[in-house]
Amino acid sequence: MNSQNLEIQNQKLVDKHGNADTVNIQKEKEKDKLSPELIEKVIEDLKKKLSMLNTQLQIKIDKDTDIVVVKVIDKETNKIIRQIPPEYVLKIAKYLDEIAGLLYNEKA
């Protein structure tokens, strides 16, 4: 649920006296958050299921762009079957960060 939906719900929760039902808003926000433990459990489940298919799941954060990179690797050949986002997207993001840094330095 995005912030616009929360704002709309926030407006709907205001009663005729002008009091907002903040408890319901907090509950909605808590539903949208995933705990790190839940994320770890889901990743482990995926790894187990992929191991049956002779594949390995690798999840890392790219050091240059701070983007999460997911790779599906064939265990026998160690070749990357699929990478999300692809390598060219990471390169583009890195170059855009460099360009933004150069433009910022020129303005300063």
Side-chain angles (χ1 to χ4, degrees):
M1 184 177 302
N2 60 29
S3 60
Q4 291 176 340
N5 287 345
L6 283 175
E7 289 174 6
I8 291 170
Q9 286 182 347
N10 188 10
Q11 292 171 356
K12 289 180 182 177
L13 292 174
V14 175
D15 65 13
K16 62 183 177 184
H17 301 291
N19 298 323
D21 189 358
T22 56
V23 174
N24 287 339
I25 295 170
Q26 289 293 18
K27 287 180 183 178
E28 286 294 323
K29 286 181 181 178
E30 289 174 5
K31 288 180 186 177
D32 292 339
K33 294 180 183 178
L34 294 175
S35 69
E37 295 84 18
L38 179 62
I39 293 171
E40 286 293 324
K41 183 177 184 268
V42 169
I43 290 172
E44 288 303 315
D45 288 344
L46 278 172
K47 285 182 179 180
K48 286 178 185 175
K49 290 176 183 176
L50 286 173
S51 69
M52 289 186 273
L53 299 172
N54 203 23
T55 56
Q56 176 184 356
L57 183 66
Q58 187 181 74
I59 301 173
K60 292 185 178 181
I61 296 177
D62 184 65
K63 61 181 178 180
D64 296 327
T65 59
D66 291 332
I67 296 175
V68 176
V69 179
V70 179
K71 294 180 182 180
V72 179
I73 301 171
D74 185 342
K75 282 185 179 178
E76 289 181 5
T77 62
N78 262 355
K79 290 187 177 183
I80 298 172
I81 298 170
R82 171 82 85 168
Q83 178 177 324
I84 303 169
E87 193 65 36
Y88 69 89
V89 172
L90 294 174
K91 287 181 183 179
I92 291 171
K94 181 180 175 182
Y95 292 134
L96 289 174
D97 283 345
E98 289 175 7
I99 290 170
L102 290 173
L103 291 173
Y104 180 75
N105 287 340
E106 286 181 15
K107 288 184 178 182

